[in-house]
Structures are given as structure tokens and as C-alpha cells.
Amino acid sequence: MSTTHVSTVLVTGGAGFIGSNFCHMLAELRPDWRVVNLDALTYAGNLENLTALEGHPNYTFVHGDIRQPEDVRRALDAAGDPGQVGVVHMAAESHVDRSIQGGLPFVTTNVAGTQVLLDACRERGVARFVHVSTDEVYGSLGDAGFFTEETPLAPNSPYSASKAGSDLLVRAAFHTHGFPACITRCSNNYGPYQFPEKLLPLIIANAQEDKPLPIYGDGMYVRDWLFVRDHNEAILTVLEKGVPGEVYNIGGNNEMPNLRLVKQVLKELGKPESLITYVKDRPGHDRRYAIDASKIRRELGWEPRYTFERALPLTISWYQSQGEWLQRLRSGAYREYYSRQYGA
Ligand code: NAD
Ligand code: TYD
């Protein structure tokens, strides 16, 4: 197994949930590296997530859109010597329910934006490119079995279809041009800084305020939950040790039905299960995701370090201590989305 030496990481989408955690992790684990964060600051991008890095000599924020070639070139200029640059591509429209309300932004950012980024990075000759994708590109599982890297792509939502499209463009850049890219596909993440439209921060925030917790359908949809720090350590491992052209699944063998997750959160918060409210199901709702992550464990030596029993209470107490952060996100434009989605 060989290691690629990069000294600068260009992160796209670094003001979002996973990206901001990734920037904090790099400052801790690779303090000598430079980090350039290219982010358009959509509703999901929040510079408040990164205040601890402001003024850090190795950290640069570039406000720009991956769909705009000149913005991407500005970020690459800031990153410097392309032979030392690794790109970690996280910028995306990421919420399934929003993609059901309207798919076009998902196509322009996730598909077209990825191609713009690939073209500019190839033109410059960056050393490595990691495309951060999702297990949702594989579609839905029945009661048994796991997604492997060989599972055919069968996305079911506009979000997952746009991510699958971007995966295919990254694959094509490797096969056609020898562009040194890897693809990662991870299961559902949880942890600090997640936008409160996603299940876990939404139910923590609602439960804290004794508001109803909207559960789609029968609540028996299964997701495979991984702590965001474990995901980010896996991405760093792929950046440094991944073989170009390869796909790596990332997951922690931690699948459970949504209802179990929600009841666990209520227990931790000391709130009653009567807050659980069954609402209209999501159309086309994938029944079960579960990841076989044996390839990245075997070939690159990554494994998760956080158990669910340890990381869930950490996550809940983080949101409990971030009341103002949460309130700011739950006000304004988010309220409009919430009433469209839940009719409240
Ligand atoms: P997020 O929605 O929290 O953050 C996305 C970030 O991308 C935001 O900061 C936003 O401003 C930025 N962005 C959006 N459009 C942009 C554009 N056109 N140009 C530049 N920046 C733009 O998303 P997240 O949950 O942090 O997910 C990050 C990546 O990881 C996504 O690619 C997602 O598909 C993937 N992923 C997420 C999960 C999960 O559970 N959250 C699991 C697997 C994979
Ligand atoms: P989500 O966090 O949107 O992630 P994804 O759809 O990408 O897996 O949803 C996780 C699960 O929780 C999914 O099965 C849908 C369900 N869910 C609800 O039951 N109620 C909600 O309000 C939300 C947002 C999600």
C-alpha cells in the first residue's frame, strides 16, 4: 500500500455538515497541511461552523460555486502547486426531501458542478481527487444482504440519481483521462453541525422543545448510522492511500429502524414517546440501506473508532449545548421549508 503525499487539501462544501467536521479534523490531525474551502454558502452552508478556524494561517475560505469554472479556478489558485493538492469533493445538494420538492438544483450542482470541478482539476493536474458519495446510489435492500462496491447502481430519488450521475462522471474521468480519482460511498452520518432538516438533529431539536417528531410511514425504514468523525477519517485514509479508479464503501455495521433511533434519543433526553407522530410517508422511500465496508478495512486498514453507544450521547449533548446555533438555523428560510414539508 503506497501513500500519496499532499500538503494542501481543497475541500468543496467545507461549510456544510461533513465538510466543516472534516476541516476541523484536518487542523487537528494534519496541522501542517493547508486547507482551502470552496463553498457557495447555500442554505446548508454555514461559516459559523468554522469560526474556530478563522484567522488560522493554514486555512483559506473561498466563496464560490462549483458550477462556475472561474470560481473553481480561483480556489485552485489559492491552493497553489497542483502536484501537492488533494481535492475532497463534498459540495452537493444533499437532502432527499428537498430533491422530491424540486430536482433541478440537484442536477446542476451534483452533476454539472462535479463535471466543472473535474475539468478544472484535470487541467491543473491535481495529485488526488476524492469524490464523496453515498450508499443511496445503490437503491434499496430487502430484509437481508449488504451493498458492496459491485452492487449495481439503482438510485431511486432525484438526490441519489444525481449523486449516481456524479459518480459516473468521476469514473469516466479516470477511465478516459487517467484522472487520479477515488469514489467513497458512505452510509447515513450523524454528529455535530448537521443541518436540522435531517432526521437526527430534527428530532433532537423538536424533542427539546416538546414538539411532535414526524416519523414517515411505519418508522421501520432501516438506515446504517456512522459517526461523522469515522466517515471523515475514512475519507482521509482514501485521500492518502486509496488506489485511483477504486470505489470504497464506508460504514460501521450499525443498522437500525428509524423508530429505534428515535426512541433511543427520547430516552437520552428524558422525553416521552408520545412525541412520536406518524406522518405521510416520503414517496419512493428506500426501505433499507446496509453497507459492507470490508474492502476499505482490508485494503486500506481503516475502521470506525466510535460505537453508537458512545457517539449518540456525544452528539445529543453537542446539540444541547448549541441552542443558539440551532435556533438561528431553525428560523427564517428553514421555517418555510418546514411548513411545506410537514404542513405545520
Ligand atoms: P450539507 O448539505 O450539510 O453541505 C453541503 C455543502 O455544500 C454546503 O456547505 C453548501 O453550501 C455546499 N454547496 C452546495 N452547493 C454548492 C455549489 N454549487 N458550490 C459550492 N458549494 C456548494 O451536506 P453533507 O451532509 O455535509 O454532505 C456532504 C457530502 O457527503 C455530499 O456530497 C453528500 O452527498 C455526501 N454524503 C452525505 C451523507 C450524510 O449522511 N450526510 C452520507 C454519505 C454521503
Ligand atoms: P434523512 O436524515 O433525510 O436521510 P436519508 O433519507 O438520506 O437516509 O432520513 C433518514 C431516515 O429518516 C429516512 O428513512 C427518512 C426518515 N425521516 C423521517 O421519518 N422523518 C423525517 O422528518 C425525516 C427528515 C426523515
Side-chain angles (χ1 to χ4, degrees):
M1 184 167 45
S2 68
T3 302
T4 307
H5 293 287
V6 300
S7 59
T8 301
V9 179
L10 168 56
V11 183
T12 70
F17 161 47
I18 299 174
S20 55
N21 280 286
F22 189 72
C23 292
H24 288 298
M25 183 191 76
L26 285 184
E28 177 195 331
L29 298 185
R30 299 289 181 273
D32 299 336
W33 287 13
R34 294 180 54 238
V35 176
V36 176
N37 170 16
L38 171 64
D39 199 296
L41 301 181
T42 67
Y43 79 93
N46 184 0
L47 286 183
E48 222 183 312
N49 301 354
L50 294 160
T51 40
L53 294 178
E54 267 169 25
H56 192 292
N58 285 347
Y59 171 76
T60 307
F61 174 65
V62 176
H63 186 197
D65 191 319
I66 58 163
R67 293 169 290 192
Q68 301 299 335
E70 59 277 18
D71 289 1
V72 176
R73 283 196 287 267
R74 249 186 326 119
L76 285 164
D77 288 344
D81 177 5
Q84 293 292 316
V85 173
V87 178
V88 174
H89 176 32
M90 302 196 183
E93 289 294 337
S94 69
H95 190 41
V96 172
D97 292 321
R98 284 184 192 257
S99 80
I100 293 167
Q101 290 185 7
L104 194 56
F106 290 74
V107 176
T108 62
T109 283
N110 300 359
V111 183
T114 296
Q115 187 61 50
V116 170
L117 187 68
L118 285 168
D119 288 344
C121 291
R122 186 166 60 80
E123 197 181 282
R124 288 289 171 101
V126 301
R128 274 288 187 279
F129 188 101
V130 179
H131 176 60
V132 178
S133 191
T134 165
D135 60 354
E136 302 190 25
V137 298
Y138 297 123
S140 186
L141 290 165
D143 289 342
F146 298 89
F147 298 131
T148 74
E149 289 81 359
E150 274 70 51
T151 303
L153 302 188
N156 290 320
S157 72
Y159 162 67
S160 55
S162 68
K163 290 297 288 187
S166 65
D167 287 19
L168 294 178
L169 293 172
V170 174
R171 177 192 151 92
F174 170 75
H175 281 274
T176 306
H177 302 291
F179 184 65
C182 295
I183 296 172
T184 62
R185 295 188 181 133
C186 189
S187 56
N188 287 61
N189 283 213
Y190 65 100
Y193 300 116
Q194 188 166 28
F195 193 83
E197 63 187 355
K198 304 278 167 58
L199 180 67
L200 197 61
L202 175 68
I203 60 176
I204 294 172
N206 280 15
Q208 278 182 326
E209 297 173 14
D210 297 306
K211 288 187 175 152
L213 314 184
I215 301 303
Y216 297 158
D218 62 0
M220 294 310 286
Y221 293 87
V222 173
R223 296 294 183 263
D224 190 352
W225 296 92
L226 185 71
F227 191 48
V228 64
R229 174 65 183 239
D230 281 324
H231 182 195
N232 279 331
E233 289 184 10
I235 292 168
L236 179 60
T237 302
V238 172
L239 177 67
E240 294 186 313
K241 301 181 189 161
V243 177
E246 293 294 316
V247 175
Y248 299 96
N249 282 354
I250 302 169
N253 273 326
N254 182 43
E255 49 172 309
M256 68 187 79
N258 295 336
L259 261 185
R260 200 168 110 205
L261 176 73
V262 173
K263 287 182 179 175
Q264 190 60 36
V265 170
L266 288 170
K267 200 167 144 202
E268 296 276 344
L269 288 171
K271 296 287 184 179
E273 290 188 5
S274 56
L275 289 176
I276 293 173
T277 307
Y278 294 93
V279 298
K280 192 166 156 288
D281 207 351
R282 170 187 285 174
H285 198 168
D286 286 335
R287 192 63 174 169
R288 174 172 169 259
Y289 302 144
I291 274 274
D292 175 344
S294 54
K295 178 177 171 181
I296 188 172
R297 286 174 182 248
R298 191 177 58 245
E299 296 185 6
L300 305 185
W302 168 85
E303 56 180 46
R305 293 191 301 113
Y306 288 82
T307 61
F308 185 70
E309 290 65 34
R310 180 171 161 224
L312 183 68
L314 283 178
T315 302
I316 292 175
S317 48
W318 187 87
Y319 285 97
Q320 284 177 312
S321 68
Q322 299 295 322
E324 286 183 17
W325 178 92
L326 211 48
Q327 277 321 314
R328 273 196 288 280
L329 295 191
R330 278 161 70 81
S331 63
Y334 176 60
R335 283 219 195 98
E336 286 163 35
Y337 163 79
Y338 198 87
S339 58
R340 255 202 324 275
Q341 179 64 20
Y342 301 99

